[in-house]
Amino acid sequence: MADGMRPEVDLRTDRAHGARIYDYILGGKDNYAVDRAAAEATLQIWPALGVHMRANRTFMHRAARFLAQECGVRQFLDIGTGIPTPPNLHEIVQEVAPETRVVYTDNDPIVLAHARALMTSAERGRTAYIQSDMREPEALLAAPELHETLDQDRPIGLMLIAIVHFIEDDDEALAVVRRIIDAMPSGSYVAATVATDDFAPEMLAKVTDTYHEHGESMRFRDKAAAERFFDGLELVDPGLVQMHKWRPDDDEHLSVPDADIAMYGGIARKP
C-alpha cells in the first residue's frame, strides 16, 4: 500500500467473520452487527467462549516467545492474523530479537483496512502484510511481499493460530497446510491451535450450528485428526495438548476447566 492511501475494500458485513467475532469477544471495536449477533448467540450456548479465546491469544504469545528465545527463529509467517490486538506477533518476537521479520496474511478485508497497525516494525526488523486466503496456498507462496521479506533458505516459524477450523473439509485442510509446510526449509517450525470438541461435544455441536447460521465456517476435530496436521514433523514437548496446558506461564492457566478450552495447541519442527 502506498503511503497516505487507504484501500477501498468490501468489508462483507452481511455475514459473520471469525476475525471480527474474535475481536468483539476480546473487547475490540472492529466488528459489525452480524459478528456481535454470532458472538452473543454463541455465548448463550457456551459462556466460556471468552475464556477460550483469551487462552488462544496467550498461547500465541507463549509460542512466539518460545520460537524466538528457545529456537532462535528470526522470521515468521502468520496465516490468519486477525484484527491487530497488541501485543501482536512482531512486537513479541522483535522484543527478543529486533531484527526479526514477520509476514502477516488474512482474508478478511477489515484486517487489510487496519494493516498499518501490523507494520510498526522495529527499525532493524521488517513486517509485511498480504491479503490472502490460505485455501489458495500457491498464490500466497508466490506473493512478492513474502519473498521480499523472508529468506526462503532460512528456518521460518509458521503460525496457524485458530485458523484451520475455518476449512471444514479434512482433506482440503490437510492439503493446504502440507503445501505450505513443504515450501518451508528444514529447521522451520509450525505452531498451531486446532479446534476440538473432545471436551464438550454436545455444547460445541450447537456452537457449530450457530456459526453456520450466521454464515461462518466451523469444524471441530478430535485429537487424532488434529495430530495429522503435524504428520512428518517433530513435536516439541509436551506434544499436542489443550492449548492452555502447553507450557503455561503460571498455574492459573491450569485451573481452567477442560470444557472451557476447545483447542489443542502444539509446536513442531520440520526435520
Side-chain angles (χ1 to χ4, degrees):
M1 290 181 295
D3 289 343
M5 294 184 65
R6 189 178 186 85
E8 293 185 7
V9 293
D10 177 5
L11 296 178
R12 300 199 302 256
T13 61
D14 58 327
R15 56 176 291 174
H17 192 286
R20 301 193 301 255
I21 295 172
Y22 192 62
D23 175 74
Y24 174 72
I25 294 295
L26 293 181
K29 301 183 184 304
D30 296 304
N31 48 76
Y32 296 92
V34 65
D35 308 304
R36 295 189 287 273
E40 291 296 341
T42 304
L43 284 167
Q44 289 295 316
I45 299 167
W46 187 37
L49 178 62
V51 173
H52 163 82
M53 287 188 167
R54 287 188 289 274
N56 180 72
R57 190 70 180 174
T58 57
F59 171 87
M60 186 277 282
H61 296 164
R62 296 197 306 279
R65 285 196 300 271
F66 172 80
L67 291 176
Q69 290 179 337
E70 305 297 327
C71 304
V73 176
R74 295 294 178 263
Q75 47 182 11
F76 290 80
L77 173 59
D78 183 19
I79 298 179
T81 298
I83 296 165
T85 304
N88 290 295
L89 174 62
H90 71 278
E91 295 168 312
I92 294 169
V93 297
Q94 289 181 349
E95 184 176 351
V96 176
E99 71 275 18
T100 302
R101 296 184 165 208
V102 177
V103 172
Y104 292 106
T105 77
D106 204 288
N107 73 337
D108 184 359
I110 201 171
V111 182
L112 173 61
H114 291 272
R116 289 188 185 280
L118 299 170
M119 302 296 205
T120 56
S121 172
E123 185 175 352
R124 290 170 54 195
R126 185 172 176 181
T127 63
Y129 180 78
I130 303 171
Q131 181 76 6
S132 175
D133 192 322
M134 73 175 295
R135 294 176 182 85
E136 301 173 354
E138 298 302 333
L140 169 61
L141 293 171
E145 298 91 338
L146 180 68
H147 295 273
E148 292 167 1
T149 307
L150 304 185
D151 183 344
Q152 307 299 302
D153 295 322
R154 295 175 53 221
I156 294 170
L158 174 63
M159 310 295 283
L160 298 173
I161 306 300
I163 185 65
V164 294
H165 58 267
F166 294 124
I167 302 180
E168 297 189 354
D169 182 82
D170 288 343
D171 290 339
E172 181 186 9
L174 289 167
V176 164
V177 171
R178 177 51 51 189
R179 176 66 186 95
I180 297 168
I181 292 173
D182 285 348
M184 301 194 312
S186 175
S188 294
Y189 287 84
V190 179
T193 56
V194 183
T196 184
D197 59 357
D198 280 352
F199 303 95
E202 293 182 4
M203 186 185 311
L204 294 175
K206 296 177 182 178
V207 169
T208 299
D209 291 342
T210 299
Y211 266 59
H212 288 168
E213 289 167 4
H214 289 85
E216 181 55 290
S217 304
M218 174 59 68
R219 171 75 163 93
F220 290 105
R221 294 178 167 93
D222 62 21
K223 190 171 186 180
E227 287 173 335
R228 293 185 64 195
F229 290 104
F230 297 92
D231 283 352
L233 307 177
E234 301 167 347
L235 277 165
V236 172
D237 186 66
L240 187 67
V241 297
Q242 275 186 292
M243 60 187 178
H244 66 305
K245 298 178 180 179
W246 196 92
R247 302 194 181 203
D249 291 332
D250 52 53
D251 292 340
E252 181 180 353
H253 292 82
L254 300 179
S255 66
V256 176
D258 286 354
D260 289 354
I261 302 296
M263 277 189 186
Y264 288 112
I267 293 180
R269 181 181 182 276
K270 181 179 178 179

